[in-house]
Amino acid sequence: MHLLSSSAEYFVWYIVSLFIFFKCLCKNGFVVAVSVGIILFGIIVVIFFMSWVKLVINHEVTLREGSQVTEWWAKPPVVPMIKVYIYNVTNADEFLNNGTKPIVDELGPYVYVQKWEKKNLTFNSNGTVTFLPEKIYHFDESLSAGSEDDVVVVPNIPMLSATSQSKHAARFLRLAMASIMDILKIKPFVEVSVGQLLWGYEDPLLKLAKDVVPKEQKLPYEEFGLMYNKNATTRDTITLFTGADDITMHGLIDTFNGMHKLPHYTEERCNDITASDGSIFPPHLTKNSTIHIFDKDLCRKLPLVFEKEVIGSNDVPAYRYTPPKNVFASVEENPDNMCFCPQGPPCAPSGFFNVSLCQYDSPILLSFPHFYLANDSYRTAVEGISPPDEEKHKFFIDVQPLMGTSMRAKARIQINLAVSQVVDIKQVATFPDIIFPIMWFEEGLDGLPEEMTGLMKLGISVPPVAHAALSGILLAVGAILLIVAIWRLVRGANRLSSLQLAPGHVGQSTNKNKDNGLGGMPKY
Ligand SMILES: *[C@@H]1O[C@H](CO)[C@@H](O)[C@H](O)[C@H]1NC(C)=O
Ligand SMILES: *[C@@H]1O[C@H](CO)[C@@H](O)[C@H](O)[C@H]1NC(C)=O
Ligand SMILES: *[C@@H]1O[C@H](CO)[C@@H](O)[C@H](O)[C@H]1NC(C)=O
Ligand SMILES: *[C@@H]1O[C@H](CO)[C@@H](O)[C@H](O)[C@H]1NC(C)=O
Ligand SMILES: *[C@@H]1O[C@H](CO)[C@@H](O)[C@H](O)[C@H]1NC(C)=O
Ligand SMILES: *[C@@H]1O[C@H](CO)[C@@H](O)[C@H](O)[C@H]1NC(C)=O
Ligand SMILES: *[C@@H]1O[C@H](CO)[C@@H](O)[C@H](O)[C@H]1NC(C)=O
Ligand SMILES: *[C@@H]1O[C@H](CO)[C@@H](O)[C@H](O)[C@H]1NC(C)=O
């Protein structure tokens, strides 16, 4: 709007000056031409400056071999942290024997400081870059509310996964399972340390499965841990668009482990993984933009929509994006989610996302912490979980909209186990149908270092100022020159008319005018 009205104004200027230009070219031509030229250039600056800035930003954010931006992207100079909260079950025996509500005690945070690095960067000729992402986790006892050696009691996920899955199998299989579990002394709750629960402990069932199950159905590990094999491993290969060919694809995943899409769901749109990994997004985001992030363990790409404007580190403005409230809504409430439920109905209830297809068929449901956005009955089925608090439990990411750089993020997810009661297996016969919360975590980035925000600030604040200054100066100089030229012209014309009686002086007089015009120029 502003641009339009100001360009209209300048257009009038342009017409006026053009008119004067033609009228007086013959008399005071050079100064008029120069001033009109300057005004024209000013108009061009007014109209096109922001597009040039856009082009410069596009050029700067594009990932290129050896550039500073690429270095920051590959080895972010940031300190991301993951805070883990574990639901310690304090009445496991009563729950199993007397059918009382499970009581949990939320322990944590257990804080791990992360170091991110993208290894083996290879720039491809088709505007993509291939790399191996690596995250290294270091436990930070001083920030944590406990030690990694804290002993916790949690549901036995491998066992309850196996029993829940056997629900529809033949009865004799369930009985066989029961006796194997008897022999191996497997119980529905395990007592492990926090470190073991996260990073892995040997599980007798997985070990057995590894030995007896045919090779092609084999689980890859004999250890179980919620973050097993995530420390310092670079097993995934990601190819993403650098933005060199198409800036609107900048930072979006092209292939994940060689795949352009997920194999799990019934529709393209659910299988699609054209999303950011959370660190960089296409530049020039608007409040209308829906951004997406993909994470392997999320088993889908997660949409995020604009929530509000925020101020990031070092006063750099950012937009906060958060998943829409119906992102995990049931298919009744949000039919778009139907394709995430390939074997349904029944499908996951509102507030949950079924990731069993990405978790070797374990009945794992993801939700937001404290069952935020789910029916409160799931939270109150367990004692000891406080009501969800949007500020503490929602998932969000703050992105600098011009450049598409993440400035702050809190990726918060809760892991739940959907247990199905199986009466034939005596160990779990009294374990009712329940969505049992196991833990939740917050993977967060609190801000960017000064070296990055300083440059971003410059990139945001300089162009508008330069725009205003440059166009202002050009138009002012042009206008002043024009006025001077016209003034001289008018004076010259007056003198001309007064000299009309002495025709011999006409040529001299115009020449003098021209000289004055030229001589006057450096003044301005
Ligand atoms: C977890 O709960 C168990 C009882 O079920 C208790 O023995 C243990 O000390 C608790 N762990 C922590 C760290 O509080
Ligand atoms: C609950 O079970 C325990 C044994 O685990 C038993 O001692 C206790 O009496 C039972 N309580 C009730 C209320 O039934
Ligand atoms: C990554 O690069 C290192 C050395 O540059 C090499 O040893 C390693 O095999 C590469 N990894 C992959 C998966 O290509
Ligand atoms: C770009 O090239 C890489 C490596 O050759 C390949 O993995 C990827 O599929 C290609 N992507 C597109 C969109 O052509
Ligand atoms: C992760 O690996 C690094 C070394 O690769 C090690 O120093 C660190 O202790 C490990 N972290 C955890 C939580 O095991
Ligand atoms: C944003 O979306 C609204 C409603 O969908 C639409 O009216 C508006 O024009 C859009 N604005 C931009 C800048 O695309
Ligand atoms: C989760 O998905 C799996 C595989 O599609 C399905 O068998 C299971 O019933 C689903 N669980 C829930 C609670 O929807
Ligand atoms: C929550 O679940 C209960 C019972 O499962 C149901 O009666 C109630 O209507 C649900 N509430 C909402 C807001 O959906």
Side-chain angles (χ1 to χ4, degrees):
M1 278 310 257
H2 173 75
L3 192 70
L4 216 71
S5 70
S6 52
S7 359
E9 268 178 54
Y10 297 127
F11 186 67
V12 172
W13 257 113
Y14 175 72
I15 295 291
V16 169
S17 38
L18 214 62
F19 177 74
I20 295 169
F21 178 73
F22 282 123
K23 190 122 193 270
C24 316
L25 186 64
C26 43
K27 306 250 171 81
N28 214 358
F30 188 72
V31 179
V32 172
V34 166
S35 54
V36 166
I38 290 174
I39 288 173
L40 271 178
F41 187 59
I43 291 166
I44 289 170
V45 166
V46 166
I47 294 173
F48 293 108
F49 191 82
M50 281 333 223
S51 323
W52 295 334
V53 169
K54 215 168 156 175
L55 288 179
V56 170
I57 288 179
N58 292 354
H59 183 266
E60 284 307 308
V61 298
T62 298
L63 299 172
R64 280 194 188 77
E65 208 149 8
S67 79
Q68 175 72 78
V69 165
T70 304
E71 212 163 283
W72 278 334
W73 166 77
K75 271 180 124 166
V78 295
V79 191
M81 274 186 228
I82 184 162
K83 295 183 180 168
V84 177
Y85 298 83
I86 292 165
Y87 293 114
N88 188 22
V89 182
T90 56
N91 68 338
D93 289 336
E94 281 89 343
F95 166 66
L96 288 173
N97 298 335
N98 314 24
T100 51
K101 253 194 203 182
I103 301 174
V104 296
D105 180 18
E106 185 186 88
L107 299 177
Y110 296 94
V111 181
Y112 291 87
V113 173
Q114 298 177 325
K115 191 164 167 24
W116 293 346
E117 190 173 338
K118 297 178 170 75
K119 298 217 149 164
N120 294 27
L121 289 192
T122 315
F123 284 84
N124 308 312
S125 55
N126 58 5
T128 60
V129 56
T130 302
F131 60 92
L132 310 171
E134 181 189 77
K135 286 184 182 177
I136 297 177
Y137 297 78
H138 284 282
F139 185 66
D140 189 326
E141 185 127 28
S142 64
L143 295 175
S144 303
S147 108
E148 263 191 314
D149 300 325
D150 286 355
V151 173
V152 293
V153 176
V154 290
N156 185 339
I157 296 175
M159 177 204 203
L160 292 165
S161 299
T163 59
S164 296
Q165 280 172 48
S166 74
K167 198 175 175 180
H168 302 291
R171 181 158 187 267
F172 81 90
L173 260 176
R174 290 198 289 275
L175 296 178
M177 212 178 220
S179 45
I180 289 170
M181 287 173 177
D182 223 15
I183 294 163
L184 293 174
K185 297 195 173 56
I186 298 173
K187 300 213 179 69
F189 286 93
V190 289
E191 208 177 302
V192 289
S193 74
V194 169
Q196 285 176 316
L197 177 64
L198 297 179
W199 305 108
Y201 58 93
E202 197 161 283
D203 182 81
L205 211 55
L206 293 183
K207 198 161 160 29
L208 179 76
K210 195 164 186 213
D211 293 337
V212 300
V213 169
K215 216 174 188 162
E216 55 277 10
Q217 294 171 28
K218 219 173 247 181
L219 297 171
Y221 321 113
E222 32 184 290
E223 283 193 69
F224 175 79
L226 293 166
M227 306 213 285
Y228 182 66
N229 235 338
K230 293 217 184 303
N231 186 26
T233 49
T234 51
R235 287 173 309 125
D236 297 319
T237 309
I238 301 180
T239 297
L240 52 77
F241 295 103
T242 61
D245 288 359
D246 178 0
I247 197 68
T248 63
M249 297 296 279
H250 170 253
L252 304 185
I253 293 170
D254 175 23
T255 67
F256 189 87
N257 287 335
M259 295 180 302
H260 284 282
K261 55 188 174 64
L262 294 173
H264 305 306
Y265 305 117
T266 51
E267 276 178 48
E268 265 323 87
R269 104 192 121 80
C270 287
N271 283 325
D272 188 23
I273 55 170
T274 313
S276 162
D277 67 352
S279 56
I280 51 172
F281 293 87
H284 316 298
L285 295 175
T286 67
K287 294 178 180 176
N288 269 10
S289 311
T290 297
I291 60 175
H292 294 91
I293 58 174
F294 174 74
D295 184 85
K296 181 178 62 164
D297 294 318
L298 210 52
C299 207
R300 64 173 286 179
K301 69 173 189 181
L302 191 71
L304 298 110
V305 295
F306 174 81
E307 186 201 340
K308 60 177 178 187
E309 291 179 33
V310 293
I311 301 295
S313 35
N314 202 0
D315 292 338
V316 174
Y319 286 175
R320 176 159 298 174
Y321 290 89
T322 188
K325 290 234 158 53
N326 68 354
V327 64
F328 292 158
S330 63
V331 295
E332 291 80 25
E333 286 166 51
N334 183 0
D336 282 351
N337 282 342
M338 191 62 217
C339 63
F340 288 117
C341 182
Q343 286 166 25
C347 300
S350 266
F352 296 91
F353 187 71
N354 186 346
V355 289
S356 92
L357 291 169
C358 290
Q359 298 293 338
Y360 312 101
D361 290 333
S362 300
I364 305 276
L365 299 184
L366 300 183
S367 69
F368 295 113
H370 289 217
F371 300 103
Y372 173 58
L373 298 183
N375 189 323
D376 212 39
S377 59
Y378 296 102
R379 181 180 68 81
T380 52
V382 175
E383 233 166 86
I385 302 181
S386 62
D389 174 343
E390 185 170 341
E391 280 316 303
K392 282 190 203 150
H393 299 132
K394 81 165 175 213
F395 187 123
F396 72 83
I397 183 160
D398 293 348
V399 186
Q400 209 306 304
L402 282 182
M403 294 156 202
T405 313
S406 289
M407 306 206 60
R408 188 157 181 264
K410 301 278 175 206
R412 294 163 172 152
I413 294 287
Q414 177 168 305
I415 298 174
N416 311 283
L417 187 67
V419 181
S420 303
Q421 188 163 23
V422 181
V423 291
D424 293 333
I425 301 177
K426 64 174 189 284
Q427 290 90 339
V428 296
T430 56
F431 209 120
D433 284 348
I434 186 171
I435 295 180
F436 211 113
I438 309 288
M439 65 105 134
W440 69 274
F441 64 84
E442 171 189 293
E443 191 163 18
L445 180 64
D446 278 321
L448 300 180
E450 188 113 13
E451 47 173 338
M452 287 177 84
T453 53
L455 213 62
M456 289 166 83
K457 223 166 151 174
L458 221 60
I460 295 161
S461 55
V462 169
V465 174
H467 183 207
L470 200 60
S471 45
I473 289 171
L474 284 173
L475 293 174
V477 168
I480 290 169
L481 275 183
L482 200 63
I483 288 167
V484 168
I486 292 167
W487 181 66
R488 296 244 154 125
L489 215 66
V490 170
R491 221 179 47 168
N494 284 346
R495 206 180 299 167
L496 213 64
S497 55
S498 62
L499 290 174
Q500 208 100 66
L501 295 173
H505 289 102
V506 169
Q508 207 186 338
S509 158
T510 24
N511 274 342
K512 205 177 163 199
N513 262 341
K514 240 182 202 165
D515 288 348
N516 282 350
L518 277 172
M521 258 228 325
K523 259 191 204 163
Y524 305 103

